Amino acid sequence: MTKTVIIGSNHAGIAAGNVLLDKYEGQEVVMIERNSNFSYLSCGTALWVGRQIDEDEVPGLFYTNREDFEAKGAKVYLETAVDNIDFEKKEVHCVKSDGSEFVESYDKLIIATGSKPISPKVPGRELKNITFMKKYAEGEFIDGILDSDEIQNVAVIGAGYIGVEMAEAVKRRGKNVLLFDAMDRSLPSYYDREFTDAMDKNLADNGVELHLGELVQEYKGTDKVEAVVTANGEYPVDLVVNAIGFLPNSELGKDHLHLYKNGAYLVNRHQRTNDPDVYAVGDCATVYSNALQDTTYIALATNAVRTGMVAGENIGGAAVSSPGVQGSNGISIFGYNMVSTGYSVEAAERQGLVVKYTDFEDTQKPGFMKKNDKVKIRIVYEANTRRIVGAQIASTTSEISMAIHLFSLAIERGVKIDELALLDLFFLPHFNQPYNYINKAALAAE
């Protein structure tokens, strides 16, 4: 009997627990969660707040529950914090919400503590009506307070995926939205400027007030926040949603386990740390990037699930190595869709890759089709090897979402740009063109 303690029960911890309980005999699993619930799909918060899903659909944002795991034999602790880990004795020291303490021993330990939101260290950050939007309780707070007529002006700090999605959600609730970011454009981590310019226009056209290139310097107010201050001025607001980004939550093991340059637990492709009995998964750990062909940090729910599965398989007895990740992602804002995988040109250069790119713009379907959308694509490839390292696609049609999977596989398998020029892609006027934008973009590569 192998006893595995899993600290954290979101995407990665849930995936690891499922693998151990569903696939392997003789597994004792203990799950420890500091919140009152687990398995919350925080990526659905904006859909909930923006009323794009009905209130009775919100429970679906929890894709499993305590009872399911206990029925499979797991011991589950909710509202329980881990105070410290004694790695030599292989003990996890816990504190329940009522203050009582207990210790769980382990044979194997999985740390799935995720990430923590970045809090801007500016004056006034302790004022009321300033919130993050990672936890379910924070989603509840935002959703509830937007019902109040007293809340008219909402500042969203950070124009990454979460901030842009929340800006749309708040606007859908009929409020005035001010979107701030220190960078001069939205979504700079995943897309080049030629793509983000279109998203910025989309946001502005739909009534989001853009304050890009403005670093927040202060929050003003007496009891509640009343204004956001930047170098450009002071803006009256009634609510602030912080969505600057996240850092790996690696406090528990930082003095014992090796860390990556950003503080994430450094793991191998079995998700094992330098301690052979300790695994780290999800947003608190590193991943292997096939685009970079090296270890890096990419915090995405899909990566979390896969890393949890890999850890579970290895603890269960299978020698499973992670195939690596591409960082595939997507966003849909006011009907405008953008998807990407691997690195943009700017991101690739920041990573030290020497790249070229090829762009193409066309309609999704033949010209004679009535309902037809323009599609813009960029394929990024390494200059010397011609290996594909990234792709970006944008359109008002959601059909582009499936195309990015092709590029994810291409990056994983080391496909070269020239191999796509004559790639056999099916044709039917209902879906695409006989020689579509993927082929044409590859053909146009230098």
Side-chain angles (χ1 to χ4, degrees):
M1 178 75 74
T2 299
K3 181 179 179 181
T4 300
V5 173
I6 303 174
I7 305 173
S9 62
N10 213 308
H11 309 299
I14 292 292
N18 276 329
V19 167
L20 287 168
L21 293 166
D22 294 343
K23 290 190 65 175
Y24 295 99
E25 301 267 336
Q27 299 295 323
E28 182 183 354
V29 174
V30 179
M31 305 189 72
I32 303 171
E33 172 57 51
R34 63 182 177 181
N35 295 306
S36 60
N37 49 66
F38 60 86
S39 78
Y40 177 59
L41 285 167
S42 57
C43 55
T45 301
L47 295 174
W48 165 25
V49 171
R51 297 292 188 263
Q52 291 176 271
I53 61 174
D54 295 330
E55 200 70 24
D56 59 0
E57 293 174 308
V58 173
L61 296 178
F62 296 92
Y63 54 89
T64 189
N65 54 58
R66 176 180 191 163
E67 290 73 25
D68 288 345
F69 272 85
E70 289 178 334
K72 292 193 286 189
K75 182 190 293 185
V76 179
Y77 295 101
L78 298 181
E79 297 184 90
T80 301
V82 174
D83 186 49
N84 67 81
I85 302 168
D86 189 325
F87 292 99
E88 288 190 10
K89 294 182 179 180
K90 301 175 75 170
E91 293 178 341
V92 178
H93 294 252
C94 309
V95 182
K96 293 184 178 181
S97 57
D98 62 6
S100 60
E101 301 179 7
F102 67 96
V103 176
E104 282 285 351
S105 63
Y106 65 85
D107 298 312
K108 303 293 181 181
L109 176 66
I110 298 177
I111 303 177
T113 46
S115 57
K116 53 190 177 183
I118 298 172
S119 178
K121 300 296 189 289
V122 298
R125 62 183 180 276
E126 74 286 346
L127 291 168
K128 294 179 181 177
N129 290 1
I130 299 177
T131 184
F132 299 106
M133 58 164 289
K134 183 176 177 64
K135 301 176 183 177
Y136 174 69
E138 292 162 347
E140 274 191 313
F141 172 76
I142 296 169
D143 180 61
I145 200 171
L146 289 177
D147 284 335
S148 172
D149 291 337
E150 294 181 2
I151 305 298
Q152 291 299 320
N153 300 306
V154 180
V156 177
I157 315 300
Y161 266 173
I162 295 174
V164 168
E165 289 174 340
M166 184 50 66
E168 179 197 26
V170 174
K171 192 63 186 176
R172 286 180 180 272
R173 293 286 290 273
K175 308 297 182 178
N176 300 319
V177 184
L178 297 81
L179 180 61
F180 293 86
D181 199 286
M183 299 292 288
D184 64 354
R185 59 193 182 92
S186 66
L187 310 177
S189 297
Y190 298 102
Y191 300 93
D192 290 313
R193 186 176 296 276
E194 291 83 352
F195 286 77
T196 60
D197 282 353
M199 179 57 79
D200 293 345
K201 183 179 185 302
N202 177 45
L203 289 164
D205 288 348
N206 282 281
V208 175
E209 186 178 312
L210 299 180
H211 293 274
L212 303 177
E214 289 191 53
L215 178 67
V216 173
Q217 298 177 335
E218 183 181 1
Y219 300 127
K220 282 188 174 181
T222 50
D223 180 43
K224 302 174 182 178
V225 67
E226 296 172 10
V228 168
V229 180
T230 75
N232 291 11
E234 184 174 313
Y235 306 94
V237 298
D238 309 303
L239 172 68
V240 171
V241 179
N242 272 318
I244 296 174
F246 299 93
L247 293 172
N249 186 8
S250 55
E251 289 297 313
L252 287 172
K254 66 179 183 180
D255 295 327
H256 176 72
L257 303 176
H258 294 169
L259 303 179
Y260 187 59
K261 58 187 177 183
N262 72 333
Y265 295 120
L266 186 63
V267 297
N268 64 16
R269 294 180 73 167
H270 298 283
Q271 298 304 133
R272 190 179 289 116
T273 67
N274 55 290
D275 185 324
D277 293 319
V278 179
Y279 295 73
V281 296
D283 289 0
C284 67
T286 57
V287 292
Y288 182 85
S289 163
N290 288 311
L292 185 61
Q293 297 185 328
D294 201 356
T295 297
T296 190
Y297 180 77
I298 306 174
L300 288 170
T302 48
N303 292 348
V305 170
R306 282 190 291 271
T307 58
M309 293 176 68
V310 169
E313 294 282 4
N314 281 280
I315 291 174
V320 174
S321 181
S322 168
V325 303
Q326 286 67 253
S328 304
N329 60 90
I331 191 167
S332 180
I333 301 295
F334 296 117
Y336 190 68
N337 310 298
M338 293 169 58
V339 293
S340 78
T341 189
Y343 290 114
S344 66
V345 173
E346 292 183 23
E349 291 173 347
R350 287 197 299 269
Q351 294 290 340
L353 297 173
V354 180
V355 297
K356 294 182 178 181
Y357 64 91
T358 176
D359 288 345
F360 201 82
E361 190 166 348
D362 204 350
T363 55
Q364 176 74 24
K365 304 167 187 175
F368 58 78
M369 297 296 288
K370 290 183 180 180
K371 190 179 185 309
N372 210 350
D373 301 89
K374 285 188 176 181
V375 179
K376 182 175 184 175
I377 185 172
R378 169 170 290 185
I379 307 172
V380 184
Y381 57 98
E382 206 169 25
N384 58 341
T385 67
R386 301 184 71 76
R387 177 178 64 93
I388 296 171
V389 297
Q392 303 158 67
I393 313 176
S395 177
T396 51
T397 178
S398 61
E399 293 179 32
I400 61 169
S401 64
M402 297 306 294
I404 207 66
H405 299 315
L406 178 152
F407 288 100
S408 178
L409 183 61
I411 295 170
E412 180 179 316
R413 298 302 173 92
V415 173
K416 297 180 179 180
I417 184 66
D418 311 284
E419 296 177 69
L420 294 186
L422 295 176
L423 179 65
D424 180 16
L425 300 173
F426 92 97
F427 160 63
L428 192 67
H430 304 72
F431 299 104
N432 56 9
Q433 298 204 45
Y435 202 60
N436 71 26
Y437 52 85
I438 295 174
N439 299 122
K440 291 177 180 177
L443 191 64
E446 292 182 13

